[in-house]
Amino acid sequence: FGSWMNQRAITYRRLHDIPADWGTAVNVQAMVFGNMGNDCATGVCFTRNPSTGDNAYYGEYLVNAQGEDVVAGIRTPQPMTIAEKEASHNSGPKQPALEEVMPELYGELYAIREKLESHYKDMQDMEFTIQQNKLWMLQTRTGKRTAKAALKIATDMVTEGLITQQEAVARIDPAQLDQLLHPMLDPDADRDILGRGLPASPGAASGQVVFSAEDAEDWVSHGKKVILVRIETSPEDIGGMHVAQGILTTRGGMTSHAAVVARGMGTPCVSGVGEFNIDYASKTMKALGREIKEGDIITLDGSTGEVMFGQVPTLQPELSGEFSLLMEWVDEIRTLGVRANAETPTDSETARKFGAEGIGLCRTEHMFFDPARIIHMREMILARDEETRRGALDKLLPYQRQDFTEVFKIMEGLPVTVRLLDPPLHEFLPHTEADMEGVAKAAGVDVSAVKARSVQLHESNPMLGHRGCRLGITYPEIYEMQARAIFEATVQCAKDGVTVIPEVMIPLVCSRAELDMLKDVVDDVAAEVSEASGVKFDYMVGTMIELPRAALKADDIAHSASFFSFGTNDLTQTALGLSRDDSGNFIEVYRDKGVMEHDPFASLDQDGVGELVKIAVERGRQTRPDIKLGICGEHGGDPASIHFFQKVGLDYVSCSPYRVPIARLAAAQAALGTDEDAMAESR
Amino acid sequence: FGSWMNQRAITYRRLHDIPADWGTAVNVQAMVFGNMGNDCATGVCFTRNPSTGDNAYYGEYLVNAQGEDVVAGIRTPQPMTIAEKEASHNSGPKQPALEEVMPELYGELYAIREKLESHYKDMQDMEFTIQQNKLWMLQTRTGKRTAKAALKIATDMVTEGLITQQEAVARIDPAQLDQLLHPMLDPDADRDILGRGLPASPGAASGQVVFSAEDAEDWVSHGKKVILVRIETSPEDIGGMHVAQGILTTRGGMTSHAAVVARGMGTPCVSGVGEFNIDYASKTMKALGREIKEGDIITLDGSTGEVMFGQVPTLQPELSGEFSLLMEWVDEIRTLGVRANAETPTDSETARKFGAEGIGLCRTEHMFFDPARIIHMREMILARDEETRRGALDKLLPYQRQDFTEVFKIMEGLPVTVRLLDPPLHEFLPHTEADMEGVAKAAGVDVSAVKARSVQLHESNPMLGHRGCRLGITYPEIYEMQARAIFEATVQCAKDGVTVIPEVMIPLVCSRAELDMLKDVVDDVAAEVSEASGVKFDYMVGTMIELPRAALKADDIAHSASFFSFGTNDLTQTALGLSRDDSGNFIEVYRDKGVMEHDPFASLDQDGVGELVKIAVERGRQTRPDIKLGICGEHGGDPASIHFFQKVGLDYVSCSPYRVPIARLAAAQAALGTDEDAMAESR
């Protein structure tokens, strides 16, 4: 028993005089023994159920035993309460509860439970020993609990008057909350683990392996459930990603295209499983000596990064009443707005359901990958003159207008920030011979023209290439069409009685001159649409701040921008000179060697990127005190980053719909000023 | 005559009372006529020869003519002086000089020449009319001149006591000086122009077209002169680029790989000829409807961007005594050091010849592309474990040590900054099937392993990828080998009586932790080499500042860096989110539309990138007041940028060897504080 004592480095005292600094007292005063006969016992118990949060004693004990016997698993521990005994599903004969065997001591223990909770104001994990009918408390500490239990305990304790709403809010770990929002693997199920990658998008999913986005769509249309397996994903895989149960990539980090898109969709994703080798030609994947073929069933755990062979049963999440209650308190406390990054009706609905106060980033390019549209997009890209380009854009206009109308209606009364076309044009061109021929035929050109254009558009570093507002500067007619779609949708909504104030966002600006030129394009279209329809509407024009130069020139840019939205993904890529898609491998080495403490794409690099944000906030407000400031990078859903954004005084954060509750909670905690030091330490 | 008057908007006055503000007087007072008979004449003349700079009257006149007759080319103008008449190479009868025809008036004009030069202290371009034997001066202004003439006039005027050395230095346009350092096309030769690209590296060259670096080397080894024609170049083309007379690319801007490397080598280059289409398969190039085949002779003018069919004769540059004299004055005036970017013995010798005070950037990766070495480099990259990697590195060590020893000896007594390996490893891997097989054989692995490694190393954005110090962090043995080569070369030099203080430069640092770890690696090797050889030597460890985060964290990084060298190429790429290789096309549109005033890779973006440099200078000196500060980006050779670097207080600039004289001159002008406003305006 001494060894157990030493091992745990605990102390004990008679219970009736708990000192305020109990938890830190370390002087051992004497020894007690639970194995001196049948009037002895030892046990471990929780003041509430650590799994469900139920307000009932929960624990195990053994008669005539030392503490290590309870945890060693050689003897089967007995339940504390009769209720627990009745509820037990164990096979074999039911063991008597402490409540029955030693009713008086149980009563004493029960009183202590009350005393401890009213002192510590939290669920306790206690250890006790009974030596010859005398109860000795060995230790008490705040107990670990599941997300579900944490939620129930915190809200119950508010009802019981033990803690305030603020304390309840401060007590929930936002990361843990994530567990409640996604399906999870049944913890009791067997797992045949194939390998492990990065936990890129939480939740668990099973399905048949397919190796291309087209196959994913095809198989799903035949009623199958699939896991999309790719070396890496690109925007043209979006259709397959939408229908897949889960996504696995062998390359890319926590913030690769696959990871970001998957999180946005709430689809489980494991990324960067570098030890797997995919061969697209033979439709197989080598997984540490085993071969996975197309059609094989695998299971992903996007919360841990595990990849398993076969189907592992999952448990569906249920959002409890406690969740809603806590979220009410959260919303009363927080001062930071929370929006969602969403562009489809489904995403917009999810966003509203999770309490988003608007859309902070509606990525218009995602609207172009649908097969009916991509063909016109490609026609536009292949056009040799403005007239042909305008012809193709005219065909895209109705689709885009329809998209905006749907999203605007779902988000009725809330702001929607629409980002004009951002990715380089070559991302929309086909890669396979067959696709190139299809495009050539549709566009009425020779396939060699498609290939030539593809070569011409190829870029060494697309991230730093002909994209964002640079497209708007070189082909103003693209932004013109998009602005028209936005404003015509606004007018349509107005006619249907739905008010919307679109916020038109120009990406990748690095100088005021760029913004000025494109703001003119947008303003002209707005005036024209208003004139033609006879409907007056409000709108804003603003810009992303996602380049270091933009942050430095924020005072100048703010003359023409009604809002800034920090694109912290690209700001991190440029400030650190670090490609999100390529850094997966070596960032791990950096962390292993202690050169970097966390992945700067997952949690904001406050020292570097953060300083740029701070500079831009100060300089932007200097020029335009009422400028609206938000952030729409992945960091908008990261608690530590949210604390930082609160500190520098942003108006809102925007994140994936599935992270909205987490962001709301983190924003409330940031407003309370809690955890700030803890957060800083944990980074 | 009136129309000529109006057209030129000139004024005239009797010469004897030149007002100080002559050049700006615009009130027309009366008319004079040069066509009222044979006692009338009109002419244009220079106070010195605008082509050679010779201190002799130079000009043309016509008897009984109006001014426009002199310039219209209908009548052949006559020489001013007898000397000119004698020197004329015109066919046909020699026309009498003004000196003969109207000796008195010529004498009057000669006196005016003296008067004007002593007043304006510069060569004048004058227009005069003689009406009935009376001389009227119509206009005088500072005359345009060739680079050669500018140099001679400025130095002569110092000798004549007309101007000071400072004034002479301030008067030479650094850009014009560039003309003197490279061969130029014979201005009288016929040109069959095929098209035009960007003037990426000055000078003129002719040769036979080849479409690959290997062919270039092969043809040159058979005694041919070639122009290397590529869509774009990459580091593995370096051998072919070295032997080519000139380089043409159809893609890439003024600061593409081809442009930068060509300027460094002093090889003429025309880049980004987007209207040409190269077909490697058929070894042809479509040039605006004409087809150029392998072996056809073309001529490039890297100073204008013109591409011509056939051979156009060139004139070789001669560095005159005036050049050396001016450069002596330049060096007395300037306070900014000027170093060169060089890594080969040839480049190092050119650098010294042009007056470089050290090497500011010795790029070690250029040393690995030699066929004898690349194989070991590839072996290293294909290695699956550290031991195999070290084995391959051991084979590279003697080459690298030899390289450093040679360069160090040439640069004796001057500092040499050696940058450790910078580009991503995939840049060294072969692309063709045959090359891959060769590598596989040499490395004793299957060709599939080479392909797999190639796929594994592929990056979406190599510029932001696994490169620079990130290679040193993940594979410390690479930097270890390079440090060993540097220090063993230092010891070798010391033994041969040559002192060298190597400055070891760690690239792409964005945090102090990175530098700390790699400085330890370098320091350990230095101690080991010193111990083993018994030779003590000095060295420095410093870092590039080429990422925005590094600039912001300069105070922190300076704790571990003895010097900073600003890599303004990459700093521009990251601060503006703008790929140097991909921006060629749209930067032109930006400039056409007035959204950007100059190419930020050619002349520093002082507002944005410049602010980062300023921040880093301030913060770096805050921590380490004596930190050595230099710049080794392309901007080190750009006059406007040099003015900026002088202003923010850098210690030196480093540029391509062929730009060293230009940088020296610009640095002197910056020290004089001249042209600063003019430079600012011209941007």
Side-chain angles (χ1 to χ4, degrees), chain A residues 217-252:
Chain A
E217 293 190 74
D218 186 40
W219 287 43
V220 169
S221 72
H222 291 86
K224 290 176 177 163
K225 291 191 169 183
V226 302
I227 301 286
L228 176 60
V229 174
R230 301 282 301 163
I231 296 174
E232 56 194 345
T233 62
S234 67
E236 62 179 16
D237 296 330
I238 206 87
M241 295 173 81
H242 256 300
V243 299
Q245 299 295 308
I247 297 160
L248 183 158
T249 67
T250 54
R251 200 186 282 153

Side-chain angles (χ1 to χ4, degrees), chain A residues 8-222:
Chain A
R8 302 219 176 175
I10 55 172
T11 186
Y12 67 94
R13 285 172 180 267
R14 268 319 293 262
L15 213 266
H16 302 281
D17 54 346
I18 304 167
D21 62 344
W22 173 297
T24 58
V26 290
N27 50 322
V28 175
Q29 294 184 332
M31 301 283 283
V32 287
F33 299 90
N35 56 352
M36 290 174 74
N38 283 342
D39 57 354
C40 297
T42 197
V44 177
C45 57
F46 293 86
T47 55
R48 306 193 181 209
N49 188 315
S51 176
T52 63
D54 284 347
N55 186 2
Y57 228 155
Y58 181 91
E60 296 172 327
Y61 82 105
L62 281 173
V63 173
N64 194 13
Q66 357 184 76
E68 53 192 4
D69 296 330
V70 181
V71 291
I74 298 161
R75 287 168 61 188
T76 305
Q78 299 170 226
M80 294 282 293
T81 65
I82 296 165
E84 270 185 82
K85 186 179 92 174
E86 302 302 329
S88 165
H89 296 297
N90 278 354
S91 57
K94 297 216 180 216
Q95 301 287 324
L98 185 67
E99 196 177 357
E100 296 166 296
V101 177
M102 297 175 174
E104 257 176 61
L105 285 161
Y106 174 79
E108 209 181 316
L109 204 55
Y110 194 85
I112 289 167
R113 167 185 180 270
E114 303 285 285
K115 194 157 193 158
L116 280 173
E117 277 207 345
S118 71
H119 179 83
Y120 287 114
K121 300 182 188 305
D122 203 350
M123 183 265 265
Q124 296 294 299
D125 169 353
M126 317 181 309
E127 295 175 14
F128 65 91
T129 284
I130 293 164
Q131 181 178 328
Q132 293 159 322
N133 285 322
K134 191 168 182 182
L135 174 65
W136 298 83
M137 298 304 297
L138 302 185
Q139 176 180 272
T140 187
R141 53 181 173 186
T142 297
K144 295 215 180 297
R145 66 206 76 182
T146 64
K148 192 179 163 189
L151 211 51
K152 179 152 173 60
I153 291 170
T155 49
D156 280 359
M157 283 189 169
V158 172
T159 316
E160 294 160 23
L162 267 179
I163 59 173
T164 64
Q165 293 177 1
Q166 280 82 358
E167 284 169 319
V169 166
R171 199 166 274 182
I172 308 295
D173 176 7
Q176 215 183 7
L177 192 65
D178 205 12
Q179 292 177 14
L180 297 179
L181 308 173
H182 301 280
M184 53 185 290
L185 289 179
D186 182 341
D188 297 329
D190 287 335
R191 304 175 186 202
D192 174 7
I193 292 176
L194 289 168
R196 185 188 286 269
L198 299 169
S201 176
S206 302
Q208 289 181 280
V209 169
V210 291
F211 291 100
S212 79
E214 295 74 43
D215 289 344
E217 293 190 74
D218 186 40
W219 287 43
V220 169
S221 72
H222 291 86

Side-chain angles (χ1 to χ4, degrees), chain A residues 144-450:
Chain A
K144 295 215 180 297
R145 66 206 76 182
T146 64
K148 192 179 163 189
L151 211 51
K152 179 152 173 60
I153 291 170
T155 49
D156 280 359
M157 283 189 169
V158 172
T159 316
E160 294 160 23
L162 267 179
I163 59 173
T164 64
Q165 293 177 1
Q166 280 82 358
E167 284 169 319
V169 166
R171 199 166 274 182
I172 308 295
D173 176 7
Q176 215 183 7
L177 192 65
D178 205 12
Q179 292 177 14
L180 297 179
L181 308 173
H182 301 280
M184 53 185 290
L185 289 179
D186 182 341
D188 297 329
D190 287 335
R191 304 175 186 202
D192 174 7
I193 292 176
L194 289 168
R196 185 188 286 269
L198 299 169
S201 176
S206 302
Q208 289 181 280
V209 169
V210 291
F211 291 100
S212 79
E214 295 74 43
D215 289 344
E217 293 190 74
D218 186 40
W219 287 43
V220 169
S221 72
H222 291 86
K224 290 176 177 163
K225 291 191 169 183
V226 302
I227 301 286
L228 176 60
V229 174
R230 301 282 301 163
I231 296 174
E232 56 194 345
T233 62
S234 67
E236 62 179 16
D237 296 330
I238 206 87
M241 295 173 81
H242 256 300
V243 299
Q245 299 295 308
I247 297 160
L248 183 158
T249 67
T250 54
R251 200 186 282 153
M254 291 291 291
T255 46
S256 59
H257 178 263
V260 172
V261 172
R263 278 200 293 279
M265 294 171 172
T267 300
C269 174
V270 174
S271 69
V273 197
E275 57 204 1
F276 287 6
N277 277 306
I278 293 172
D279 182 15
Y280 286 135
S282 65
K283 297 196 176 178
T284 57
M285 173 170 70
K286 287 247 168 60
L288 295 173
R290 294 167 70 176
E291 192 176 84
I292 307 300
K293 292 185 299 294
E294 185 183 48
D296 285 350
I297 292 177
I298 62 171
T299 298
L300 306 180
D301 186 342
S303 308
T304 63
E306 276 176 3
V307 183
M308 289 140 281
F309 189 76
Q311 174 123 23
V312 180
T314 57
L315 306 175
Q316 285 304 312
E318 278 171 51
L319 292 185
S320 60
E322 286 89 11
F323 176 83
S324 312
L325 192 59
L326 185 88
M327 282 295 153
E328 267 174 42
W329 302 338
V330 156
D331 289 346
E332 279 163 26
I333 294 165
R334 73 186 160 88
T335 56
L336 203 54
V338 176
R339 299 191 188 181
N341 300 346
E343 43 271 333
T344 63
T346 314
D347 284 350
S348 307
E349 274 158 9
T350 307
R352 272 211 101 129
K353 184 181 85 184
F354 281 138
E357 296 160 303
I359 289 179
L361 176 62
C362 173
R363 285 164 284 221
T364 53
E365 58 271 16
H366 285 201
M367 302 173 168
F368 294 129
F369 285 102
D370 183 273
R373 304 162 178 202
I374 188 86
I375 195 74
H376 303 307
M377 189 67 187
R378 288 169 174 171
E379 235 177 283
M380 192 274 287
I381 295 167
L382 290 169
R384 289 183 161 271
D385 53 52
E386 190 182 320
E387 203 191 318
T388 321
R389 205 152 41 234
R390 283 188 182 276
L393 286 166
D394 285 347
K395 295 181 201 158
L396 285 169
L397 176 64
Y399 292 113
Q400 188 112 79
R401 186 174 51 218
Q402 180 61 23
D403 287 338
F404 290 134
T405 308
E406 283 175 30
V407 169
F408 288 171
K409 287 193 175 169
I410 292 166
M411 300 309 290
E412 173 170 13
L414 299 177
V416 177
T417 308
V418 181
R419 180 178 70 186
L420 302 188
L421 192 67
D422 187 48
L425 297 182
H426 53 78
E427 286 207 4
F428 299 93
L429 286 185
H431 298 303
T432 68
E433 191 77 15
D435 279 353
M436 286 201 186
E437 271 164 26
V439 171
K441 210 170 155 187
V445 298
D446 193 78
V447 71
S448 68
V450 179

Side-chain angles (χ1 to χ4, degrees), chain B residues 214 250 273 287 312 319 443 514 636:
Chain B
E214 295 74 43
T250 55
V273 197
V312 181
L319 292 186
E514 293 172 319

Side-chain angles (χ1 to χ4, degrees), chain A residues 251 455 464 514 579 590, chain B residues 251 455 464 514 579 590 605:
Chain A
R251 200 186 282 153
V455 168
L464 310 175
E514 293 172 319
S579 166
Y590 263 62
Chain B
R251 200 186 283 152
V455 167
L464 310 175
E514 293 172 319
S579 166
Y590 263 63
D605 160 37

Side-chain angles (χ1 to χ4, degrees), chain A residues 349-676:
Chain A
E349 274 158 9
T350 307
R352 272 211 101 129
K353 184 181 85 184
F354 281 138
E357 296 160 303
I359 289 179
L361 176 62
C362 173
R363 285 164 284 221
T364 53
E365 58 271 16
H366 285 201
M367 302 173 168
F368 294 129
F369 285 102
D370 183 273
R373 304 162 178 202
I374 188 86
I375 195 74
H376 303 307
M377 189 67 187
R378 288 169 174 171
E379 235 177 283
M380 192 274 287
I381 295 167
L382 290 169
R384 289 183 161 271
D385 53 52
E386 190 182 320
E387 203 191 318
T388 321
R389 205 152 41 234
R390 283 188 182 276
L393 286 166
D394 285 347
K395 295 181 201 158
L396 285 169
L397 176 64
Y399 292 113
Q400 188 112 79
R401 186 174 51 218
Q402 180 61 23
D403 287 338
F404 290 134
T405 308
E406 283 175 30
V407 169
F408 288 171
K409 287 193 175 169
I410 292 166
M411 300 309 290
E412 173 170 13
L414 299 177
V416 177
T417 308
V418 181
R419 180 178 70 186
L420 302 188
L421 192 67
D422 187 48
L425 297 182
H426 53 78
E427 286 207 4
F428 299 93
L429 286 185
H431 298 303
T432 68
E433 191 77 15
D435 279 353
M436 286 201 186
E437 271 164 26
V439 171
K441 210 170 155 187
V445 298
D446 193 78
V447 71
S448 68
V450 179
K451 285 182 191 168
R453 183 73 174 141
S454 190
V455 168
Q456 195 187 12
L457 288 176
H458 172 265
E459 292 184 313
S460 312
N461 294 287
M463 161 64 206
L464 310 175
H466 194 176
R467 52 169 287 233
C469 72
R470 295 161 192 171
L471 295 170
I473 300 279
T474 47
Y475 307 117
E477 52 277 12
I478 299 178
Y479 277 17
E480 229 179 281
M481 179 280 280
Q482 296 199 290
R484 181 173 301 280
I486 293 168
F487 296 129
E488 289 182 355
T490 306
V491 165
Q492 184 59 53
C493 287
K495 287 181 176 166
D496 297 346
V498 171
T499 302
V500 56
I501 302 182
E503 302 175 345
V504 181
M505 182 155 74
I506 315 288
L508 213 72
V509 158
C510 81
S511 74
R512 181 181 169 186
E514 293 172 319
L515 184 58
D516 280 345
M517 183 177 162
L518 296 170
K519 186 175 184 310
D520 283 350
V521 169
V522 175
D523 286 343
D524 287 351
V525 173
E528 220 181 282
V529 171
S530 183
E531 173 84 25
S533 64
V535 176
K536 289 206 185 312
F537 50 83
D538 288 326
Y539 67 97
M540 290 169 90
V541 179
T543 181
M544 303 272 287
I545 299 287
E546 51 186 336
L547 297 175
R549 191 186 199 277
L552 295 171
K553 302 298 294 172
D555 41 352
D556 205 20
I557 293 171
H559 283 288
S560 313
S562 300
F563 63 88
F564 286 166
S565 180
F566 289 94
T568 51
N569 298 342
D570 281 4
L571 197 56
T572 300
Q573 298 202 81
T574 47
L576 276 64
L578 191 64
S579 166
R580 208 168 61 170
D581 292 337
D582 302 316
S583 60
N585 288 327
F586 61 86
I587 283 233
E588 284 303 297
V589 178
Y590 263 62
R591 296 178 69 181
D592 288 350
K593 296 196 177 182
V595 184
M596 202 177 252
E597 286 174 51
H598 65 278
D599 181 342
F601 295 111
S603 193
L604 192 79
D605 160 38
Q606 298 184 15
D607 275 3
V609 179
E611 183 172 355
L612 288 170
V613 172
K614 242 191 282 182
I615 288 172
V617 166
E618 283 163 17
R619 295 186 182 180
R621 286 225 171 98
Q622 213 171 290
T623 299
R624 189 186 286 258
D626 67 341
I627 192 164
K628 202 196 272 196
L629 300 172
I631 174 263
C632 62
E634 278 291 297
H635 302 100
D638 170 61
S641 310
I642 290 170
H643 275 251
F644 177 83
F645 298 132
Q646 168 91 13
K647 214 164 50 186
V648 299
L650 298 196
D651 296 310
Y652 68 87
V653 299
S654 187
C655 58
S656 300
Y658 284 85
R659 288 196 78 80
V660 166
I662 297 157
R664 285 159 69 200
L665 175 57
Q669 293 179 342
L672 290 172
T674 54
D675 281 349
E676 199 160 319

